[in-house]
Amino acid sequence: MAERSHLRPYPAGQRPGRAPIHLVRRRDRIARPGDDRHGPECRGRGGGWCGRDTDPGCTGELMKIGIIGAGNIGGNLTRRLTALGHEVSVANSRGPETLAALAEETGATPVTVAQAARGAEVVVVTIPFKKVPDLPAGLFDEAAEGFAVIDTGNYYPRQRDGRIAGVEDEGLTESRWTERHLGHPVIKAFNGTYAQDILDRHRPAGAADRMALPVAGDDAAAKKTVRALIEELGFDTVDAGGLDDSWRQQPDTPVYGLREGVEAVTKALAEASPTRPEAFRG
């Protein structure tokens, strides 16, 4: 599979060749890439609970996975990952009793946020960006050795999060800011993926219309684990570099929301500008 680990940035202020995807106001739309809200598109099915999904290529090791956040992305990852046979624990800010329907549908175990990472080999953090500092201390104390953390978050200063100094003044990428608060390396993935695509657009390896997702992070072993899991979910991956390069897949970049294959995703990453768009400044 083609991949690109080092991409040359455009000079500051230069516009990419592809028009960025513009977001509409939150109340006027059903979904956006990486959206963590609840919504009607969460109700699709990602496969039955009565056994491992039979999609070709689903041959990875079964894992224990903790998901923190049960909105669009978290809910649909829960559906697909349980369908693939993984043991999933899922948590939200409102408590496990509010996840009874999702648990009944999927077989996932509803837990508190503090319990979500216990024994987990992969932990998915898919909550509003501004809520990351509110996660409990010691969140990963009981995670499995060598566990990987997936960060799906996006910074929306005007639509939701308000101004965050670490991003605006220090120039941190969004996932670097998240990593600092979590105290553990993160892998940035799914932040530009429409939630419904997790259910509807997975394809077997080699399919002509198989989508590719960018994956950024510094921890090579964790990145390998995350890329293998995404491949198992039915998507190709493109190595988007380290976390300091992850601005290439932040909101309003060419790759954000792109539903294309490896070649187009690699090209879109290369065309990104490091200048934060005005619409995404606080």
Side-chain angles (χ1 to χ4, degrees), residues 4-240:
R4 188 168 183 149
S5 59
H6 178 73
L7 299 161
R8 180 177 299 172
Y10 268 43
Q14 185 170 339
R15 295 175 61 84
R18 177 181 176 274
I21 296 170
H22 295 287
L23 301 178
V24 295
R25 288 175 300 171
R26 186 168 183 142
R27 64 177 178 269
D28 294 334
R29 55 172 163 68
I30 295 177
R32 64 185 171 198
D35 202 341
D36 45 42
R37 297 179 306 122
H38 293 274
E41 67 275 21
C42 284
R43 303 188 189 112
R45 300 296 184 263
W49 170 244
C50 55
R52 188 170 171 79
D53 194 304
T54 56
D55 280 357
C58 296
T59 58
E61 294 293 327
L62 298 183
M63 293 188 292
K64 182 172 175 59
I65 299 172
I67 298 179
I68 300 172
N72 290 352
I73 294 290
N76 285 351
L77 282 175
T78 298
R79 293 178 174 95
R80 285 288 294 140
L81 291 167
T82 52
L84 290 167
H86 296 287
E87 181 183 348
V88 177
S89 295
V90 61
N92 66 9
S93 61
R94 297 177 297 141
E97 66 279 359
T98 66
L99 297 170
L102 181 63
E104 182 178 1
E105 176 191 340
T106 64
T109 301
V111 295
T112 65
V113 171
Q115 297 169 329
R118 288 181 181 175
E121 297 158 89
V122 174
V123 181
V124 182
V125 177
T126 180
I127 63 176
F129 192 73
K130 66 180 179 181
K131 297 293 186 182
V132 170
D134 298 335
L135 290 171
L139 179 63
F140 303 128
D141 285 355
E142 297 182 60
E145 184 178 354
F147 71 101
V149 177
I150 300 175
D151 167 35
T152 79
N154 291 309
Y155 173 44
Y156 299 122
R158 299 187 183 184
Q159 299 95 334
R160 180 191 63 200
D161 299 315
R163 191 180 191 280
I164 292 180
V167 176
E168 303 280 358
D169 300 333
E170 296 182 51
L172 298 176
T173 61
E174 295 168 8
S175 285
R176 183 68 75 193
W177 181 88
T178 295
E179 180 182 83
R180 286 192 179 184
H181 282 283
L182 294 179
H184 190 275
V186 305
I187 304 299
K188 189 177 189 70
F190 297 109
N191 73 291
T193 306
Y194 287 98
Q196 193 64 31
D197 290 351
I198 294 170
L199 301 184
D200 296 344
R201 290 180 176 252
H202 54 91
R203 299 289 188 270
D209 60 343
R210 183 158 147 129
M211 285 173 51
L213 307 183
V215 180
D218 301 329
D219 186 320
K223 185 185 284 186
K224 182 178 179 180
T225 296
V226 172
R227 293 182 71 180
L229 186 62
I230 293 172
E231 297 272 352
E232 187 185 3
L233 282 164
F235 303 92
D236 286 332
T237 62
V238 174
D239 190 330

Side-chain angles (χ1 to χ4, degrees), residues 4-11 16 173-174 188 191 214 216 239-257 265-276:
R4 188 168 183 149
S5 59
H6 178 73
L7 299 161
R8 180 177 299 172
Y10 268 43
T173 61
E174 295 168 8
K188 189 177 189 70
N191 73 291
D239 190 330
L243 276 196
D244 290 336
D245 300 313
S246 64
W247 52 265
R248 296 182 181 279
Q249 64 194 78
Q250 291 177 171
D252 217 17
T253 57
V255 81
Y256 179 77
V265 167
T266 301
K267 181 176 183 290
L269 287 167
E271 290 176 344
S273 168
T275 301
R276 179 171 290 276

